[in-house]
Amino acid sequence: MATQYEVVIGIEVHAQLSTKTKLFCGCSTAFGSKPNTNVCPVCLGMPGALPVLNEDSVELAIRSGLAMNCDIQEMSVFARKNYFYPDLPKGYQISQFELPICLGGSLAITVPNADGSYEKTIGITRIHMEEDAGKLIHQGADAIAGSDSSLADLNRACTPLIEIVSEPDIRSAAEARAYMETLAMIVKYSGVCDANMEKGNLRADANVSLRPVGQEEFGTRTETKNLNSFRSLERAILYEIQRQTHVLESGGTIRQQTLNYDDSTGKTSVLRDKEDAHDYRYFPDPDLKPLMVTQEQISAIRDTLPELPRAKEARYVDYGLNDQEIKVLLADLDLNAYFENCVKAVPNAESIKEMAKWLVGDFSALVNAAGGSFDTPVIKQDAFLELIVLLKDGTLSGKMAKGILEKMYQTGKTPKALLESSGGGQISDTSELDGIVAQILSANMDVVAKVQGGKTKSADFLMGQVMKETRGRAKPDLVKQLIMDQIAAL
Amino acid sequence: MSISESDLDRVLKLSHLHIPDSEKADYVAQLDKVLGHMDNINQLNLDDLEPSAWANATATPARKDVVVKAELDLETNAPEWVDHSFRVPSILGKET
């Protein structure tokens, strides 16, 4: 029987900290600036320039550690990781090696499977702080191979990153994706990182190895670098599992290598033979003394940690929201803040469900269609809540509310103001509707005959006529009831 | 302290240096002498001292997260300046 293999995965995530300036100098971290405009002697690696640590980056690194249940170290040390490459003009990257700022955390994940989902906890080995490198654009070819020169943009050099290193606890591509998605949400909600993968401020390296089922010892691993979407991460791992399985089953051995993943072909290729730590000749950076934090500082940061996505999710389930609503409400930080403010204003379960439904549905559709955001919403919270009240008390039908919401979005007016200018809300007064129904029936006796003949579906036409007459304001259930009652009495 | 030829080979690999095999024994002997000095240093009693990379291991100072714009004349100083970027020679050698 062929050997069965178990996959072992560990993930390293680089997250850019949400600071205004770089890790060791006052240059801006703004994305999309003209090349080499956010640079100074420190990040250009000019001789004699000395790094000075950004205090906000330390706070954010500690926040990330607390959000992932790590032990925050009172003393950590910046080290030089030496390598020679034009994206790093100093000749070394300032990172943390032997003494990182956070050790030993964990992350609880929910992994979808054929039976629904299962829960798992992934260990976090460490979180350390480091500076990013610059960006190279290779000239004369699509890639580095074959290019005749490269253009270096050092705007990104020295931007603050944390590297979050997981334990090799992950056992499938689906678990890797769930881990990465959970981690992205946590760094986003704790204010550590914008987690915008398109802008590259969250990227993952996947260490993948196989071992025969039952074997304790790990197999040789490969590291696939710079996976910048959840999909790429999952696909690259699936490919690598398949590739390694094929190599092992053909009697070959896996080489410890660093790989690049090409999303267009869905394949990995070799970047270089993997280095070990000693290749980088790490040593403590003599330009930076140890980073010291006190228990008081750690406690103060802990006190400002917001409610994290998993706790929010549990609360939303208690509200009775469905999976899709919860997913959408958690995916966008601004939408989530809008929803939470509404919940604070009207903490009533029925209203919350209604708010969630409209926020996730029609309101989001309007915002998305207009390319807007919930950060600066056209429809203010009070106006939206007024709409929910009008829906709940029956003044508005769902259909009317949809129309009103659109007009609110176009004009910025409140629902009450719009209702007044359009002649009022939903008609739910029988006496007011009775006459209109009678009038429509007498004008459409042929249709009435069909209904009497058993074609009850034809009543929909009559209902449509009543709605038209009342400009959509009649309460649909009531109209239907009146139509059937009046036909029965004919 | 004694170093072997395989230690030397590892150092040569890391530093991208090449030494003819015939000269390796000399280098091993010389390095052994240099590193042998560590044996002298090891005689010091350091029981009460924590290892440190700094003469004075107080906490590193930190700065506020405030943007400071640097004024630099990069174009004049860069060896090659193209599209507001530093142009560097090809990174990978040509395949032979």
Side-chain angles (χ1 to χ4, degrees), chain A residues 10-23:
Chain A
I11 295 181
E12 294 163 16
V13 175
H14 286 93
Q16 185 185 332
L17 299 173
S18 306
T19 57
K20 294 189 203 68
T21 68
K22 295 186 179 180
L23 187 53

Side-chain angles (χ1 to χ4, degrees), chain A residues 153-166:
Chain A
D153 171 12
L154 299 170
N155 280 346
R156 205 181 60 187
C158 199
T159 52
L161 303 177
I162 45 172
E163 180 172 334
I164 303 151
V165 182
S166 86

Side-chain angles (χ1 to χ4, degrees), chain B residues 34-92:
Chain B
V34 172
L35 294 172
H37 182 61
M38 296 300 156
D39 292 334
N40 292 339
I41 293 177
N42 277 341
Q43 289 171 25
L44 292 169
N45 181 356
L46 305 175
D47 290 351
D48 298 331
L49 287 177
E50 285 291 316
S52 169
W54 307 271
N56 175 10
T58 49
T60 194
R63 37 166 267 277
K64 300 278 176 207
D65 187 25
V66 177
V67 174
V68 180
K69 185 91 183 142
E71 296 298 333
L72 298 170
D73 185 2
L74 297 175
E75 187 165 2
T76 309
N77 290 303
E80 283 193 76
W81 187 249
V82 178
D83 293 345
H84 227 265
S85 299
F86 300 94
R87 185 169 175 274
V88 297
S90 64
I91 292 164
L92 296 183

Side-chain angles (χ1 to χ4, degrees), chain A residues 338 363 375-386 408 412:
Chain A
Y338 193 98
F363 197 169
D375 180 24
T376 48
V378 178
I379 300 176
K380 301 291 173 227
Q381 183 194 324
D382 288 349
F384 176 65
L385 289 173
E386 194 177 293
M408 286 165 73

Side-chain angles (χ1 to χ4, degrees), chain A residues 436-463:
Chain A
I436 299 169
V437 171
Q439 192 188 326
I440 296 294
L441 294 193
S442 64
N444 296 283
M445 286 312 287
D446 51 334
V447 183
V448 171
K450 282 185 187 165
V451 178
Q452 284 171 324
K455 289 188 174 170
T456 50
K457 203 90 184 101
S458 300
D460 290 350
F461 170 79
L462 299 169
M463 194 161 149

Side-chain angles (χ1 to χ4, degrees), chain A residues 20 56 68 86 98 143 249 252 282 351 385 423 440:
Chain A
K20 294 189 203 68
D56 282 15
M68 288 179 248
E98 282 172 313
E249 285 179 349
Y282 281 98
S351 297
L385 289 173
I440 296 294

